[in-house]
Amino acid sequence: MGLACWIMSRGSLDEIEITGPNDTSIRMVAKDGRLNYESILDTLYASEGFEKHGLLGWLSDKYIYPIDDPEFSRALSNHVCATFPDRSGDMRASVKAWNDCAEKVVVAELRRMAMDRDVPFHRVGDIIKVSVPGSPPDSGKAFACRDGIFYGRKVQVSTLDEVPKAVTVDARAGHYSCTNTRYPQMQMNPADIRALFDANAQIDSVVAVPLEW
């Protein structure tokens, strides 16, 4: 980070100047010779310009990141499991490396969260339009846009009601191209539509959530 500290005594007051490149500096005064680390770090972090970025850069060199820094996720992949993957070609060593990595406390907790779909591994869907085509798929199956997020996956489809009705369909029955937003993103069997909407109800928008990644 390239910071330098200068302490200038003035009786019971110590004035501390922290300087960095590009003529940046911070002056702090300690009463009775006292200045705690928290005050120094708070001042550095709150300052404009180099000091804040320099502090964060220094921390990242120690593999300490702000929670919203994209480097945080990359560091997990690159540094948490130093022996993984094993590149020796020895399958026994590779299997051991897989297991050793998965058993690390941080990795094990992340894998549990992913399995339970806890945030940030929660399922993500969308509000879409559905329809019944002239030649519909079998019940429990669906056609989907080839270039959308639903084709080839199992999808939970539910109404927008306060107490929603839901069905699960397999969107691997077929696909079609629909780049125009007027087209429905999925086409379903009439029986599945009836399970969602009353017989006289107009087919409305639904919430669709892929159950497979």
Side-chain angles (χ1 to χ4, degrees):
M1 182 166 63
L3 295 178
C5 294
W6 304 91
I7 302 178
M8 294 157 281
S9 295
R10 293 183 178 178
S12 62
L13 295 178
D14 289 331
E15 183 175 309
I16 300 177
E17 182 178 8
I18 303 176
T19 62
N22 303 320
D23 297 323
T24 58
S25 65
I26 292 176
R27 288 178 179 269
M28 303 181 68
V29 176
K31 293 185 178 181
D32 300 323
R34 294 178 179 273
L35 186 65
N36 62 42
Y37 291 121
E38 185 175 352
S39 297
I40 296 175
L41 293 174
D42 283 345
T43 303
L44 283 171
Y45 191 79
S47 64
E48 296 293 332
F50 169 81
E51 289 81 8
K52 176 176 179 177
H53 298 295
L55 176 61
L56 293 177
W58 182 84
L59 289 170
S60 67
D61 288 342
K62 310 297 182 185
Y63 305 128
I64 300 172
Y65 301 88
I67 194 67
D68 58 351
D69 187 344
E71 288 297 327
F72 172 58
S73 57
R74 286 189 281 270
L76 283 173
S77 176
N78 296 332
H79 301 296
V80 170
C81 295
T83 61
F84 180 84
D86 181 84
R87 303 186 185 280
S88 66
D90 183 340
M91 283 304 298
R92 292 181 184 274
S94 293
V95 171
K96 184 178 186 305
W98 298 341
N99 286 284
D100 287 348
C101 181
E103 291 171 2
K104 285 183 176 290
V105 175
V106 171
V107 177
E109 178 62 9
L110 287 171
R111 291 168 68 86
R112 182 202 63 75
M113 292 170 65
M115 186 173 295
D116 293 344
R117 297 294 189 264
D118 290 344
V119 177
F121 304 103
H122 56 287
R123 291 188 173 94
V124 177
D126 200 0
I127 297 177
I128 67 170
K129 295 178 181 178
V130 294
S131 69
V132 176
S135 299
D138 294 338
S139 179
K141 300 184 182 299
F143 303 143
C145 292
R146 180 174 53 198
D147 49 353
I149 65 172
F150 304 107
Y151 175 63
R153 300 176 176 178
K154 289 186 177 179
V155 183
Q156 184 183 70
V157 182
S158 59
T159 62
L160 295 171
D161 301 329
E162 185 175 346
V163 181
K165 298 177 181 177
V167 297
T168 297
V169 295
D170 187 339
R172 285 180 272 236
H175 59 75
Y176 53 95
S177 177
C178 56
T179 56
N180 191 313
T181 56
R182 291 179 301 173
Y183 291 105
Q185 286 95 322
M186 284 206 310
Q187 296 176 334
M188 298 171 57
N189 182 277
D192 296 325
I193 292 293
R194 286 195 298 271
L196 296 173
F197 301 100
D198 295 333
N200 297 324
Q202 182 179 358
I203 298 177
D204 202 350
S205 296
V206 297
V207 178
V209 179
L211 301 181
E212 299 172 321
W213 296 22

